Amino acid sequence: MEYVKAEANELRGMMQLLPTKDESLALRSYLPPMDAPRSEIDDSINKLGECERYMAVMLDVPDANSKFECMVFRAEFESHAESIRDGTKMLAEACNAVKNSERFQKLLLYSLKLGNALNTGGSNEGVSAITLDSLLKLAEAKAFDRQTSVLHYLVSIVQKNDADVLKLSDDFAPVKAAERVAMDMLSLELKKMDQGIEKLQAVVKKNLPEPCDSGSEREEDELIDSTPMGRFSISAASKIQSLSNEFEDVRSSFTDLLRFFGEDSSMSPEAFFGTINTFVSMFDQTHKELVRKEEAKARRKRIEEKQRLRKEEMAAKKAKS
């Protein structure tokens, strides 16, 4: 099976111009019989319009539609493979970021201790794990004074005891990117690629330059490798297997994360990483609010100090006079 080097859209355009059943019958009734001299057939074809000439040439090409579908698959293969590879890589990096971030681990521990202190009044009894959903509720729940949110209180504790944890967002750039990756779509794309390879290999075998009479698998592989599309099918099958292995590793890693956080196994990466990103954004925003309040408080203190000094200075001048 040969390969026409062209863009996928061009190949689709050529495939759409393949003659229908009715068009094939009309062309065959117009053209001389197949056993007529080649010159007579060519003369008849040359009298046709450009589109009809293309249809006439394609009349006797076996499995033309299937061959075009295979060529479209090949033309789009690298872009689809790269998309799957990029998505898998994003998920892998996000899983590693959540799993290996010491700042996040410390923050979870601070959150857990604070939650236990609020719920048990400081006794030793309390929960030993924290869910992602409970992190979002920190902004709603109130701390000891019933006015300040638990999240504000948490940020102030972190700020006083371990300011490095405030840089949590630096660890989670991959997590932000992974929120846009749909694992089920990657799985579906891989399945389509696998089906495309199966169809391609079937078409290649059907159109081998010579039949493989012995039935030897090795001989058949050699024949497949002798055609451009055959060589591509072998290479593409290997790449898809590699992508599948990488994807399964990521799926396993993500499942482990869900288990660690006590989340439902059906939770999607978009929901999981989206929740983390929302919390980190809230955490950063709360820190900025506290910084602004502290700066405003410091400004007021400086103003009050200047006013006090000015009053003392005026009082001293008045006493002298």
Side-chain angles (χ1 to χ4, degrees), residues 132-191:
L132 294 181
D133 186 55
S134 63
L135 289 176
L136 298 183
K137 292 179 180 178
L138 294 178
E140 304 171 7
K142 299 303 179 183
F144 300 103
D145 60 4
R146 302 300 176 187
Q147 295 180 352
T148 308
S149 75
V150 175
L151 182 57
H152 279 80
Y153 195 67
L154 173 65
V155 173
S156 65
I157 291 175
V158 172
Q159 190 170 315
K160 292 175 183 176
N161 295 278
D162 199 343
D164 181 67
V165 175
L166 297 171
K167 301 176 183 177
L168 174 63
S169 57
D170 293 348
D171 296 347
F172 280 3
V175 180
K176 196 169 186 64
E179 183 182 355
R180 303 188 299 271
V181 180
M183 184 176 283
D184 56 346
M185 292 303 295
L186 289 179
S187 179
L188 181 62
E189 191 65 25
L190 269 171
K191 185 176 180 180

Side-chain angles (χ1 to χ4, degrees), residues 199-253:
K199 182 172 184 177
L200 171 60
Q201 290 176 335
V203 173
V204 168
K205 289 177 182 179
K206 188 177 179 180
N207 292 274
L208 286 174
E210 55 183 280
C212 183
D213 298 327
S214 65
S216 165
E217 186 175 335
R218 181 176 179 181
E219 185 177 344
E220 186 179 74
D221 288 343
E222 290 177 353
L223 283 172
I224 292 174
D225 194 44
S226 68
T227 67
M229 289 296 280
R231 287 192 293 274
F232 165 73
S233 72
I234 295 171
S235 172
S238 176
K239 288 182 179 179
I240 290 176
Q241 184 59 57
S242 177
L243 287 173
S244 296
N245 292 340
E246 292 173 12
F247 178 76
E248 288 305 320
D249 288 344
V250 168
R251 177 146 49 189
S252 176
S253 180

Side-chain angles (χ1 to χ4, degrees), residues 104-137:
F104 192 45
Q105 292 171 14
K106 289 179 179 179
L107 183 58
L108 291 176
L109 186 58
Y110 278 119
S111 303
L112 187 61
K113 288 182 177 180
L114 179 57
N116 283 336
L118 291 170
N119 293 325
T120 65
S123 68
N124 291 329
E125 296 181 0
V127 296
S128 58
I130 189 167
T131 63
L132 294 181
D133 186 55
S134 63
L135 289 176
L136 298 183
K137 292 179 180 178

Side-chain angles (χ1 to χ4, degrees), residues 288-301:
K288 290 176 182 177
E289 289 176 8
L290 289 177
V291 169
R292 284 196 296 268
K293 287 181 180 180
E294 290 173 357
E295 289 175 347
K297 184 178 180 180
R299 281 195 301 271
R300 286 195 301 270
K301 188 174 181 180

Side-chain angles (χ1 to χ4, degrees), residues 63-110:
D63 299 323
N65 199 71
S66 295
K67 289 177 179 178
F68 268 112
E69 287 179 349
C70 290
M71 286 188 284
V72 169
F73 175 79
R74 177 174 179 173
E76 295 180 332
F77 180 82
E78 285 303 328
S79 63
H80 286 310
E82 185 177 355
S83 176
I84 295 171
R85 190 179 298 110
D86 289 346
T88 302
K89 183 181 178 182
M90 285 183 188
L91 290 176
E93 290 176 346
C95 288
N96 289 333
V98 174
K99 185 178 179 180
N100 300 324
S101 173
E102 292 185 9
R103 289 168 176 153
F104 192 45
Q105 292 171 14
K106 289 179 179 179
L107 183 58
L108 291 176
L109 186 58
Y110 278 119

